[in-house]
Amino acid sequence: MKKSIPAVVFLIFALHAASALEIEETELRSVQANQDSVQFENYGGPHAVVETADAIINIGTELGVQVAADASNPLSVNPQGKYSLYHVVNSEETAGLDADIFFINSTAMVDHINNVRRILTGYLMAAYGYERADAETIAIFITVYNAVYRGNLSSFSGKYKNAVLVNLTEESVGLSTNWEDWAGNTQIVIPLYNGGAGEPAVVETSVISDENVIEALRQEDDKSVDLRENLVGIKEQEAQDYGEKAKESQKEAAQERKDGNAEKAAESAKNATEQQKRADKKTEEARSERQTIEKDKQDSQKEAISKQDVGENRVYLTSLFIADEKNRLYSLMTVNPQNGEVVKKSALRQIREKTIYPVSKVTVQKDDGTSRTFDELFVAVCGVTDKRSAVKLCLIDAENLEIQKQSAETLSETSPLVQQGDTFYVIVSEGGNAYVASYDKNLSLKKKSSVAINGASPLNLFEQGIVVTDTKGNPVLLGLANLEPVW
C-alpha cells in the first residue's frame, strides 16, 4: 500500500562492484516503526504462469454475475472452486447487517494483495454495479478492514445478522497480512446495507471505514490521503442518492394520503425518514473525514519541509544475504552502514546467483497498459521449480527490492548469469533441452543458440565468444552476436 518515493541506495554484493543510490530513512523504516499500519506480505518470487490483470478481475466478475441475477436471496457461489462466496441476506432478521463472505479456498494460488483486490473489484462491479474506480477504492478498504479485524470474531458479532455469523470462524475470519496464510484460511467479510424491499443492497462504506481502519491507513507515509478522499467522494454521492430517495418517498407519502391510503402513506413516510437519516449520516462522515484529511495534508507538507531543512537523505548499503542456505538461495536487504540496522527486506527470497547486475533508466510495461521508468534496477536469476514459481530472469527495483518484470522464457535451474555491455547471457530451458540465450536490459530475448548445450554448463565469456559444454561434453564456441557455433 505504501507509495514509493525517488530513492538512491549504495549497493554492494559478492563478486560485483558498488553502485550509489539515495533513499529516505523514514520510507525504509516506517513498516518497523509503526505497528498500527497494515502491511501486507506478498509472495516476492517469479511466477510459473502470469495472469493479466483483466483475467484476475474476471474471477470476481464471474462470482458477481451470479449474485446479481438473484441478489435478494441467499446464495452460495462456486463452493468447490478456488474462490467461493456466500451471499448472506435475511429479510426476516432485522437486527444487524447482511454480508457477502468471500472465501480464498485451499486450491487458490493468489499470493499478492493487489490480486485479491482485483478479484474484489470485479465482484463489486458485477454484483452491485459500481464503476471501476469506485470498486477499486472500496476493494482496498475491504481488505484493510478485514486485516484490522482478522481473527477477532467478537468485533463482527455486534454488527452482523446471525445468518452471517454462523458462517464465520475465529481462526479464518478476516484477511491475514501474510499471503502464506490465505489459501484455505480466509473469510473476507463484505458488509451490506439492505434498504428494504425493492432496494438493492450496497456495500456499507461506513463499516469498512471505521475509526480503526482510518487510523491504520493514516500510518502510511502519505497518510493514504488520495485513497481516503476517493471514499469520501463515494460517501458524498451516497448522501445525495439517499437524499433523493427520501424526497421521492415523501412525494409518494403525500400522494397516498390524498388517495386515502393511510397505511401505505405511513410506510412511505417511514422510508423517507430512514433514507434521510442515511443521507445525513453519510454527509456528516464525509464532512468529518474531509476535515481530518485537510489536517493530514498540512501536517505532511510541514514534515516534507522539515526533512528538506535537515537533509533527511541517507546513504545505505543494499546487499545479498543468505535466504535459504540448503538450497543456496539469496535475498536482498538494505542496512544502515553505521550500525547494521536492517531498514528494508525484500520479499524476494529466491535469487539463485551471487552476482546481480545494475541497469538504469528502464521502462517497464505493466499488464494494465501503464508503464513506469525506473532509475535503477537489478538483473538477477530468480525462482525455484514448483507449482507456483519457475526459474526466470528478473528485474528487481532498487528502491522497494521487488520484481518488476520477469522473462517470458524459463531458465535452467543451474543457469549462470554473465554480462557483456548491455547484453545478459543465461541458459534457457525449452522442450527438455537447454540453450544459451541473450537478453537486453528490458529482458527482451535477443538471440537463442541453435545448438543445445548441457543445462549445467558454465558460460565462459571471451573476446571470441562464449565457450560452453554441449550435451556430449564437448566444448563449443558460440559467437556473441548471433550465438551460432564458431567451432
Side-chain angles (χ1 to χ4, degrees), residues 210-265:
D210 69 16
E211 59 182 5
N212 292 325
V213 173
I214 294 297
E215 188 57 32
L217 292 171
R218 292 182 71 233
Q219 303 312 312
E220 298 297 323
D221 289 336
D222 64 351
K223 300 185 184 298
S224 303
V225 164
D226 291 344
L227 175 67
R228 289 158 58 199
E229 283 188 321
N230 290 344
L231 193 70
V232 168
I234 293 172
K235 287 186 177 182
E236 289 171 339
Q237 182 60 54
E238 288 176 331
Q240 181 177 332
D241 292 342
Y242 287 129
E244 290 175 355
K245 289 177 181 178
K247 291 178 181 178
E248 287 298 319
S249 292
Q250 288 171 351
K251 291 179 180 178
E252 290 173 4
Q255 183 61 49
E256 286 158 354
R257 290 190 193 98
K258 289 182 179 179
D259 296 340
N261 195 331
E263 186 176 344
K264 284 189 177 182

Side-chain angles (χ1 to χ4, degrees), residues 39-248:
Q39 297 297 324
F40 289 99
E41 298 177 38
N42 303 302
Y43 168 72
H47 289 87
V49 178
V50 179
E51 293 188 272
T52 66
D54 286 344
I56 296 169
I57 287 174
N58 193 53
I59 295 171
T61 301
E62 291 177 355
L63 296 174
V65 166
Q66 296 182 62
V67 169
D70 192 15
S72 61
N73 291 309
L75 184 66
S76 175
V77 183
N78 202 28
Q80 305 302 319
K82 294 180 180 180
Y83 310 94
S84 57
L85 185 132
Y86 288 172
H87 177 63
V88 187
V89 291
N90 187 348
S91 58
E92 296 179 359
E93 190 177 355
T94 58
L97 294 169
D98 292 324
D100 288 326
I101 307 172
F102 175 72
F103 296 85
I104 300 177
N105 296 322
S106 58
T107 55
M109 297 290 284
V110 65
D111 53 25
H112 199 291
I113 190 59
N114 288 349
N115 288 336
V116 175
R117 290 167 176 166
R118 283 168 176 154
I119 295 172
L120 292 174
T121 294
Y123 176 73
L124 294 171
M125 292 168 64
Y128 302 112
Y130 286 103
E131 296 292 332
R132 179 159 179 169
D134 289 348
E136 289 173 342
T137 295
I138 294 171
I140 294 175
F141 270 88
I142 288 171
T143 55
V144 176
Y145 166 70
N146 277 271
V148 167
Y149 294 106
R150 166 70 171 178
N152 186 358
L153 189 57
S154 61
S155 67
F156 294 88
S157 298
K159 296 185 179 73
Y160 296 88
K161 294 177 180 178
N162 290 328
V164 175
L165 298 175
V166 296
N167 291 294
L168 304 178
T169 62
E170 190 84 39
E171 61 272 14
S172 296
V173 68
L175 178 65
S176 171
T177 55
N178 188 336
W179 70 272
E180 293 180 288
D181 298 331
W182 292 348
N185 192 33
T186 299
Q187 300 170 339
I188 295 177
V189 180
I190 305 173
L192 300 177
Y193 171 74
N194 194 325
E199 291 291 335
V202 293
V203 176
E204 180 48 278
T205 54
S206 299
V207 171
I208 61 173
S209 62
D210 69 16
E211 59 182 5
N212 292 325
V213 173
I214 294 297
E215 188 57 32
L217 292 171
R218 292 182 71 233
Q219 303 312 312
E220 298 297 323
D221 289 336
D222 64 351
K223 300 185 184 298
S224 303
V225 164
D226 291 344
L227 175 67
R228 289 158 58 199
E229 283 188 321
N230 290 344
L231 193 70
V232 168
I234 293 172
K235 287 186 177 182
E236 289 171 339
Q237 182 60 54
E238 288 176 331
Q240 181 177 332
D241 292 342
Y242 287 129
E244 290 175 355
K245 289 177 181 178
K247 291 178 181 178
E248 287 298 319

